[in-house]
Amino acid sequence: MAGGAGQRMGAQTPKQFLELRGVPVLVRTLQAFQQAVPDGGIVVVLPAEHHTTWAEICTKYDVPEHITATGGASRFDSVKAGLMAVPEEASVIAVHDGVRPFVSEELVRRCFAEAAAFGSAVPVVRAVDSFRRVTDTGSECVNRDELRAVQTPQVFDAKVLRQAYETGNGAAFTDDASVVEALTGRVHLTEGERTNIKITTPSDLLFGEAVIAASGQNLL
C-alpha cells in the first residue's frame, strides 16, 4: 500500500518516494520483501497520479518485479483494488505499508508461517509510553499493559481476506485486521519489531538513516 500524500512529512514529494541514503523508501520496502519471500508476488497500489513517477523510479533503481494497481478513494478501496490484482491461486496474502522499509526477513517469514497455521498474523509491539483516555469530564489513565501498537505486514488466509473485503464497509475500519476481525471474530497477534517504523514525519527519516548506518548497509 503506497498511497500516502506525505502531508505530515511537510514535503512536496510523496513520502514513499523520498530517499533514504540515496534509495526511495518504497524501493527499499520492495527489496525487503523480495529478500524475505523470493518466490512471492508483489502488488504495488498507488494513486493514479503517482504511476508516472513510479515508472520513472523503476527505470533508475533495482526494483523487484511487481504488478502496479490503482488505489481508490480510501485505504479500504485501495486494498480491494490491490486484491483484485493478486492471482486467484494465492493462498496467503500480506498487506504491508509501503513506507515501512525496515521490516526484517524474519518478521515477514514468521507472519506468513503463522498466517498459514492460524489464518492470520498481525505484528504488534507493547506500548512504552503512558496513555490517557480523553473523556467528557477530563481524562483518565489507561493501562498500557493492555495496549499494543499495530504494525504491518498483516498476513491472512487469502480466501478469508477476500471475503472480508467483499462484505465489509470501509468507513468503520482502521486496518486490515479490523476488517477480518469483523468477519471472523478474531485475529492472531505476533510479536513485531521496534525498528519496523512507518516513515511519516521528518524525524522518522532521521531514525531511518540511523538504522541504515547502524546496520552497515551500503548505498544500493
Side-chain angles (χ1 to χ4, degrees), residues 1 12 21 34 41-42 55 66 83 90 141 144 147-148 156 171 173-174 179 181 187 198-199 213:
M1 302 304 300
Q12 298 204 350
R21 290 264 178 135
Q34 183 188 48
I42 299 175
H66 63 279
L83 289 174
C141 183
R144 70 182 177 189
L147 301 178
R148 298 293 184 271
F156 306 93
F173 303 117
T174 59
V179 179
E181 186 178 38
V187 292
K198 187 176 182 180
I199 303 294

Side-chain angles (χ1 to χ4, degrees), residues 36-150:
V37 192
D39 295 331
I42 299 175
V43 175
V44 176
V45 184
L46 290 163
E49 62 268 25
H50 292 170
H51 279 232
T52 299
T53 301
W54 178 238
E56 293 173 352
I57 289 173
C58 289
T59 65
K60 300 176 182 178
Y61 299 89
D62 182 17
V63 181
E65 183 177 349
H66 63 279
I67 298 169
T68 303
T70 301
S74 67
R75 188 182 188 282
F76 184 91
D77 294 328
S78 294
V79 173
K80 288 186 70 172
L83 289 174
M84 292 179 64
V86 175
E88 287 295 327
E89 61 267 24
S91 60
V92 180
I93 299 175
V95 185
H96 187 62
D97 297 321
V99 289
R100 287 188 190 268
F102 301 118
V103 62
S104 72
E105 293 181 31
E106 191 279 332
L107 179 58
V108 173
R109 291 171 181 167
R110 173 158 44 86
C111 285
F112 270 98
E114 293 190 16
F118 302 109
S120 61
V122 179
V124 299
V125 293
R126 291 179 177 272
V128 295
D129 294 319
S130 294
F131 289 86
R132 298 193 67 83
R133 179 184 294 109
V134 177
T135 67
D136 292 338
T137 58
S139 66
E140 60 188 20
C141 183
V142 177
N143 183 0
R144 70 182 177 189
D145 291 338
E146 298 176 350
L147 301 178
R148 298 293 184 271
V150 181

Side-chain angles (χ1 to χ4, degrees), residues 170-188:
F173 303 117
T174 59
D175 65 356
D176 310 288
S178 57
V179 179
V180 171
E181 186 178 38
L183 174 69
T184 66
R186 65 190 183 280
V187 292
H188 171 74

